[in-house]
Amino acid sequence: MRIALGSDHAGYPLKERIKEFLLGRGHEVLDFGTTSEESTHYPLFAREVSLAVQRGEADRGILVCGTGIGMAITANKFKGVRAALCLNEYMARMSRLHNDANVLCLGDRVLGEELALSIVEVWLSTPFEGGRHQKRIELIADIESTCP
Ligand code: RB5
């Protein structure tokens, strides 16, 4: 898969580890930064990753900040982006099976590296279940296109 990656300063160490993990598994990575632990602003990176997913330039996106919350709030402003903040493998699996999440948000300050990488692995390998969940995804899209 081609995966867009982004983080702020708080998520930078985990983003780098995830990049290494993805490249090691043969994925293509589009790294939108940040490039150090110098203080910056998470919406800048959430924007770039969300646009890459929205435009089909990336199959999926992964965003990391301190908690994952700011990234999820920002990414979900973009039409067609379904960003899921996942704290464990169960949430990662369900976000794919039921929500067809196309962006994964992680918190570097709340997850250990091993758990974070396990979440990434589950999230990338779980398909969307479709069926009754498809209708619900369509209802989200309806809200996106009619919301003020
Ligand atoms: C940065 O201090 C922190 O606020 C940010 O990484 C993130 O946790 C916001 O949601």
Side-chain angles (χ1 to χ4, degrees):
M1 277 189 218
R2 182 183 286 181
I3 299 166
L5 269 187
S7 76
D8 68 355
H9 53 288
Y12 175 72
L14 180 57
K15 175 184 64 89
E16 291 301 295
R17 191 59 198 90
I18 291 171
K19 179 161 59 174
E20 206 181 310
F21 176 84
L22 294 174
L23 291 172
R25 278 169 171 66
H27 294 287
E28 191 181 334
V29 170
L30 303 175
D31 186 350
F32 288 96
T34 190
T35 54
S36 75
E37 291 185 61
E38 190 179 329
S39 185
T40 181
H41 310 292
Y42 61 82
L44 302 174
F45 307 95
R47 178 180 190 279
E48 294 310 309
V49 167
S50 298
L51 287 173
V53 171
Q54 190 184 61
R55 292 172 178 155
E57 293 159 7
D59 302 304
R60 304 271 188 89
I62 300 178
L63 288 164
V64 192
C65 63
T67 59
I69 296 170
M71 290 299 198
I73 291 172
T74 310
N76 279 315
K77 304 289 181 200
F78 290 79
K79 274 188 185 174
V81 169
R82 293 176 298 280
L85 172 60
C86 294
L87 302 178
N88 51 50
E89 292 96 335
Y90 177 76
M91 293 175 78
R93 192 156 57 82
M94 297 312 287
S95 80
R96 290 289 312 134
L97 286 172
H98 286 193
N99 312 113
D100 197 16
N102 50 14
V103 173
L104 172 66
C105 300
L106 299 171
D108 197 341
R109 293 174 179 164
V110 292
L111 299 172
E113 179 183 305
E114 199 181 330
L115 175 57
L117 295 179
S118 176
I119 289 171
V120 168
E121 185 153 51
V122 168
W123 189 73
L124 289 175
S125 60
T126 306
F128 177 46
E129 201 174 279
R132 68 187 189 281
H133 303 292
Q134 180 59 42
K135 174 69 184 167
R136 296 163 188 171
I137 299 306
E138 287 163 15
L139 288 168
I140 294 172
D142 287 351
I143 290 171
E144 277 176 343
S145 57
T146 55
C147 224

